Amino acid sequence: MRPPDFARMLRRSGGRATPGRLRLMRALWKEPAPVTAARLQKSLGRTLNLATLYRALDALAGVGVVRRVDFRHGHAHYELAAPARAHHHHLACTGCGAVEDVSCTLRPRLKRASAFSAITDHAMEYFGLCKACGARGAERVSRTRTEAME
Amino acid sequence: MRPPDFARMLRRSGGRATPGRLRLMRALWKEPAPVTAARLQKSLGRTLNLATLYRALDALAGVGVVRRVDFRHGHAHYELAAPARAHHHHLACTGCGAVEDVSCTLRPRLKRASAFSAITDHAMEYFGLCKACGARGAERVSRTRTEAME
DNA sequence: AACACAAATGCGAATTATTCGCAATAATGT
DNA sequence: ACATTATTGCGAATAATTCGCATTTGTGTT
Ligand SMILES: [Mn+2]
Ligand SMILES: [Mn+2]
Ligand SMILES: [Zn+2]
Ligand SMILES: [Zn+2]
């Protein structure tokens, strides 16, 4: 699958197609799983200031181009969203940090009428142990921190 | 509904029933929605040191007595879990921070075999606009920070 | 092609939530 | 009453994320 037209995507969402944000998008496009801002910066060869990167990620998340994911690691992870990548969720190993995409099985909207007028988004992550970690024994594993968890 | 036997609950989960943790449990029991550590401390009359509170919440979350909830506010929220409160999720207003409980509609487990040996937990929150915020207009609302969001 | 203006960037400093080290206490089982 | 070990308080440390501000640079328009 070839990369989308990021420049157009950025402009369409009300922003500018700066070289930095284009590199950011291309880097995210290659990531198989949500990454931290720090790792993303590293993968960009440090060419983008971290504060700038955070601002970009925040802005892009604001317009739905990027999704922020919480794996309970104490820091945020980001991945491409919207038109670039199909909506999905994750299954994360609490032992080694391995992440697997899972499709969204949520009913389109909550059935019962609630005190809400609109539901605009949702977050959902599954946590468990990958086969490897499950075999190694849950306890020993639980205090391991792998590169994959960063 | 009368409060559970927190002392027993704490001991059964491998901890001690200290006056501090008992107060903590009772305070959580009264909260209608997940609260931050800071707010919880305040509701405890500052009688518990914040570091201690964080350690307690972390320990209790570890044994499943407490659940940590992420509303994308930049800080964690906590609520009673396990036997005390039935498993559920939330619908949070991105305008004013109002929170409504929603039942869990997730299939017990993912059907397809995955590279995982066990799924032990999951997080899921819906985001949207409550009727009040929906009426007031989404944009104006989006930059409001209410006490309910703390 | 030259302009005008808002958006984006870099840098360093500031915030904030959360965690740690460590010595002192106190809960629990014997 | 005793030994063991979890829990606590304090202050200091971290780590992630954000801010202020001056400077640069896209982009739409003359
Ligand atoms: Mn993904
Ligand atoms: Mn709740
Ligand atoms: Zn694993
Ligand atoms: Zn609202």
Side-chain angles (χ1 to χ4, degrees), chain B residues 55-74:
Chain B
R55 272 185 296 228
L57 288 170
D58 187 56
L60 296 175
V63 295
V65 170
V66 159
R67 266 177 89 88
R68 198 184 319 239
V69 180
D70 175 36
F71 286 135
R72 298 176 174 172
H73 291 179

Side-chain angles (χ1 to χ4, degrees), chain B residues 93 95-96 130 133:
Chain B
C93 177
C96 66
C130 71
C133 288

Side-chain angles (χ1 to χ4, degrees), chain A:
Chain A
M1 196 188 285
R2 67 160 140 282
D5 184 340
F6 292 125
R8 221 178 103 200
M9 192 175 294
L10 288 172
R11 297 199 187 92
R12 238 185 317 161
S13 66
R16 292 177 180 178
T18 70
R21 294 198 173 184
L22 284 172
R23 290 203 307 282
L24 160 53
M25 295 296 275
R26 285 192 287 265
L28 274 185
W29 171 257
K30 292 193 203 121
E31 295 291 347
V35 290
T36 64
R39 173 178 279 304
L40 188 55
Q41 188 201 27
K42 193 183 303 178
S43 104
L44 285 172
R46 313 269 168 166
T47 55
L48 221 57
N49 178 275
L50 196 51
T52 302
L53 185 49
Y54 271 113
R55 273 186 292 229
L57 288 170
D58 186 56
L60 295 175
V63 295
V65 170
V66 159
R67 264 177 90 88
R68 199 184 319 239
V69 180
D70 174 35
F71 287 134
R72 298 175 174 172
H73 290 180
H75 45 241
H77 288 239
Y78 304 84
E79 71 177 354
L80 231 39
R85 290 262 209 249
H87 174 71
H88 67 276
H89 298 288
H90 305 96
L91 172 47
C93 178
T94 54
C96 67
V99 172
E100 184 179 308
D101 283 359
V102 301
S103 60
C104 182
T105 61
L106 297 183
R107 312 293 167 65
R109 55 209 79 173
L110 303 178
K111 55 268 162 145
R112 289 186 316 90
S114 69
F116 277 64
S117 67
I119 294 179
T120 55
D121 191 18
H122 62 262
M124 128 121 89
E125 326 297 329
Y126 290 92
F127 298 95
L129 289 174
C130 71
K131 289 216 171 96
C133 288
R136 290 167 58 200
E139 313 78 30
R140 195 183 339 166
V141 159
S142 63
R143 40 194 118 286
T144 313
R145 286 288 102 111
T146 341
E147 182 182 274
M149 306 190 71
E150 279 167 19

Side-chain angles (χ1 to χ4, degrees), chain B residues 31-34 69 71 79-80 85-86 88-90 99-102:
Chain B
E31 294 292 347
V69 180
F71 286 135
E79 71 176 354
L80 232 37
R85 290 263 207 247
H88 67 276
H89 297 289
H90 305 95
V99 172
E100 184 179 309
D101 284 358
V102 301

